[in-house]
Amino acid sequence: MKVHDLKPPPGSKTAPRRVGRGIGGKGGKTAGRGMKGTGARDNVSPRFEGGQTPLHRRTPKAKGFRNPFRVE
């Protein structure tokens, strides 16, 4: 048996679900994203925390924070 003879057993590989292709099929219209909200939108930064102070802004103020780059 050689590498080019290998293939997965029948039935183990299925085609990926095609969503967002119209209201006629499964996964149409909102394509599983719900109606509204951040999860339904496509232009929200991944670091956005819904109005909470972002991690990169609150870290130096956290209790017990030690700056690993401090030079004494």
Side-chain angles (χ1 to χ4, degrees), residues 2-72:
K2 294 194 165 43
V3 176
H4 63 268
D5 293 326
L6 294 174
K7 65 178 187 176
S12 67
K13 301 289 275 185
T14 58
R17 175 168 292 217
R18 297 178 72 227
V19 296
R21 293 296 182 271
I23 62 172
K26 274 289 207 183
K29 195 183 165 204
T30 54
R33 287 173 163 263
M35 293 296 286
K36 294 189 219 174
T38 314
R41 319 207 188 277
D42 64 345
N43 57 356
V44 180
S45 170
R47 64 177 185 216
F48 181 65
E49 300 184 29
Q52 174 175 293
T53 305
L55 181 67
H56 63 88
R57 287 191 58 201
R58 68 177 184 258
T59 304
K61 300 175 187 172
K63 187 175 181 182
F65 175 78
R66 295 245 179 130
N67 185 0
F69 307 107
R70 179 177 175 178
V71 179
E72 295 192 17

